Amino acid sequence: RPPQSPPRTPLLLPSPVDKSTTSVPVVYQNFPTDLFCQYLQTGREISIQNTWIPNLDVFIDFLIAALHRQARIQILLLFPYSPVAELRNEALEASQLPVLSDQVQRGVESNLTRLAQIWSVLDASQRQQLQVRFYNSLPSVSIYQVDQFCLMGVYFHGRLAISSPQFEIDMTSFLGTRVNGEFNTLWGIAQPISHLDHWQRELDLLKGRFYPT
């Protein structure tokens, strides 16, 4: 009688994702500005996460209109004096287009100048609806979210995130839940600035928080 083989140990496979909560993202070659602006016209909850927002001027009027109807806007930017900003600068230098050695820093400062202009014409309640924070860690993805609509980009070498493929995410899906969790995690550890009209002074104060001596 041949010896019996020992019982096989079953493989532990990952738990399947509920198909009712998944959807195949729509992929755009680059940032679909018109589509994003369409959602901004009626959005109540707007979240943007990027190293800086290169396309801010394109839709800034829509953000102003959203604030006037009491929409909440949360913006996450990379701390411009971070070593991570230097790494992103180096990655962008792989582009075939001319890139400044301090591209990230200049981009963030340009964004803050424009946001300060908005801040100056808002009333007290509207200012509370415009929240800007800075993170000091490696960015995972770029996020442009309006309510349950979201565009997610990736950080390729030599390309801005908005110039790379954009994935349209349903925020009620499994992937949408993960993207939302990523934003909330980064938002929770990011540092806020309270007065956009004095953003340079506040950035200097953040240096002490991020890099205490």
Side-chain angles (χ1 to χ4, degrees):
R1 182 179 180 180
Q4 293 183 346
S5 300
R8 298 180 63 183
T9 303
L11 295 174
L12 297 177
L13 299 177
S15 301
V17 176
D18 183 358
K19 292 184 178 181
S20 64
T21 63
T22 62
S23 59
V24 178
V26 178
V27 182
Y28 301 93
Q29 185 174 355
N30 47 42
F31 194 86
T33 300
D34 291 343
L35 179 62
F36 183 65
C37 291
Q38 178 183 333
Y39 280 93
L40 284 178
Q41 293 181 51
T42 57
R44 303 297 303 176
E45 297 282 341
I46 300 165
S47 303
I48 300 175
Q49 171 186 314
N50 208 339
T51 49
W52 86 95
I53 310 172
N55 51 348
L56 177 61
D57 283 344
V58 176
F59 53 78
I60 196 166
D61 288 339
F62 292 96
L63 296 184
I64 295 172
L67 288 166
H68 282 301
R69 62 172 185 270
Q70 293 297 313
R72 184 176 67 162
I73 299 177
Q74 295 178 307
I75 296 176
L76 268 173
L77 301 173
L78 177 62
F79 185 60
Y81 313 128
S82 162
V84 180
E86 297 298 331
L87 291 174
R88 184 57 182 156
N89 282 330
E90 292 175 7
L92 289 172
E93 288 174 0
S95 171
Q96 296 180 349
L97 300 175
V99 176
L100 298 172
S101 60
D102 56 351
Q103 184 74 54
V104 174
Q105 291 87 343
R106 287 173 180 261
V108 172
E109 291 173 355
S110 175
N111 285 169
L112 290 172
T113 299
R114 295 292 282 132
L115 292 172
Q117 293 171 350
I118 296 176
W119 175 271
S120 66
V121 298
L122 298 177
D123 61 33
S125 64
Q126 292 165 347
R127 287 180 177 181
Q128 292 180 352
Q129 297 298 100
L130 176 58
Q131 303 168 27
V132 180
R133 295 189 181 187
F134 289 90
Y135 62 92
N136 188 33
S137 61
L138 288 171
S140 49
V141 292
S142 67
I143 298 171
Y144 288 70
Q145 180 183 348
V146 182
D147 299 328
Q148 298 304 316
F149 168 82
C150 179
L151 293 166
M152 183 186 75
V154 293
Y155 294 102
F156 289 139
H157 281 72
R159 299 181 70 89
L160 298 173
I162 61 169
S163 300
S164 300
Q166 300 290 309
F167 300 84
E168 181 181 334
I169 307 297
D170 178 2
M171 296 305 290
T172 64
S173 68
F174 172 77
L175 180 56
T177 300
R178 289 297 180 89
V179 170
N180 189 59
E182 178 67 13
F183 181 89
N184 290 335
T185 296
L186 212 51
W187 184 263
I189 62 176
Q191 293 289 337
I193 60 174
S194 304
H195 299 282
L196 280 166
D197 49 347
H198 300 297
W199 60 264
Q200 185 61 70
R201 183 178 66 187
E202 297 228 11
L203 285 185
D204 290 339
L205 292 173
L206 285 184
K207 288 181 183 178
R209 298 181 193 174
F210 284 129
Y211 308 109
T213 56

